[in-house]
Amino acid sequence: MTAAHPAAGPAEPDGPTGLGGPAGPAAGLDAPAELGGVRAWLRRAGEPVHLELACAEHPDPAAGPAGRTVVRLTACAGSVAAHELVELLAAGATVTLRLDGCEAPEDVRAHLAGVHAVLTAAGVTGLRLEDAPPPRDGGRRLGRRRARPVLDAAHMPLSRRHLLGLGASTDPAPDPTGLTAHERLVAALHALGAGEAGAAEGGPAG
């Protein structure tokens, strides 16, 4: 990525990053990455999905292992709010956030450290941060590789299930309408059964 990340700001007890972590890379961005369209698409998918989220400026998100749904973000990976990632987990996805190519991956890790600690304490392992490029099949060099399709977070497609009228959501993810960023984070953590762990880690209580 070519965009530089702003320096981390002071601690935020109840800000969008949640859990009292640093303001992180998202604090100074005018247009943070939005995942509302991805969340709506996921709730219509009707099956488990491994989402791989790549920065808007990633040079080649199509390269990587098969079996993942690759989505190019609308902005820097460091601008994704923690509550939006947890909402994707609550909707049933495994989420890998790609940091390869990022100029300040440690800032992104610091931005998500609080919520990652809460998820880990609750035994939720669905959020992964990858600093290195995704591994190729067993490290073997293959002659010609089929590029993975890359979806646009701002223009997610309609699924075949939705077109057939089979896309009604049955997942336990909360409806974020009208909630603040912190309330959305708390609701998503509780949907994952991580609310008590959050309180134990100094995060949002139930």
Side-chain angles (χ1 to χ4, degrees), residues 16-104:
T17 56
L19 310 185
L29 295 179
D30 293 331
E34 296 290 342
L35 294 176
V38 180
R39 187 173 60 251
W41 174 87
L42 181 63
R43 298 179 74 173
R44 295 192 299 262
E47 57 188 16
V49 174
H50 185 161
L51 290 173
E52 181 180 301
L53 306 180
C55 176
E57 298 180 357
H58 195 287
D60 190 17
R68 299 180 181 182
T69 299
V70 186
V71 178
R72 187 188 292 275
L73 298 170
T74 59
C76 174
S79 72
V80 177
H83 66 269
E84 293 216 67
L85 293 175
V86 179
E87 286 171 348
L88 296 181
L89 298 179
T94 296
V95 179
T96 294
L97 186 63
R98 289 185 66 169
L99 303 183
D100 58 304
C102 180
E103 293 183 1

Side-chain angles (χ1 to χ4, degrees), residues 44-203:
R44 295 192 299 262
E47 57 188 16
V49 174
H50 185 161
L51 290 173
E52 181 180 301
L53 306 180
C55 176
E57 298 180 357
H58 195 287
D60 190 17
R68 299 180 181 182
T69 299
V70 186
V71 178
R72 187 188 292 275
L73 298 170
T74 59
C76 174
S79 72
V80 177
H83 66 269
E84 293 216 67
L85 293 175
V86 179
E87 286 171 348
L88 296 181
L89 298 179
T94 296
V95 179
T96 294
L97 186 63
R98 289 185 66 169
L99 303 183
D100 58 304
C102 180
E103 293 183 1
E106 291 308 313
D107 287 348
V108 182
R109 286 186 175 276
H111 167 55
L112 298 174
V115 72
H116 198 269
V118 170
L119 294 171
T120 300
V124 179
T125 60
L127 178 60
R128 309 171 185 177
L129 305 180
E130 287 188 351
D131 292 291
R136 298 191 180 274
D137 301 339
R140 294 174 297 173
R141 184 180 296 275
L142 302 182
R144 187 171 184 177
R145 182 180 301 277
R146 182 178 179 183
R148 302 180 300 174
V150 179
L151 305 181
D152 181 352
H155 304 284
M156 295 297 288
L158 288 176
S159 68
R160 180 176 300 179
R161 286 177 55 85
H162 185 71
L163 291 174
L164 295 175
L166 302 174
S169 172
T170 58
D171 67 76
D175 182 358
T177 304
L179 300 180
T180 66
H182 185 67
E183 290 169 340
R184 287 172 62 176
L185 176 60
V186 172
L189 287 170
H190 276 279
L192 287 167
E196 294 303 320
E201 291 289 327

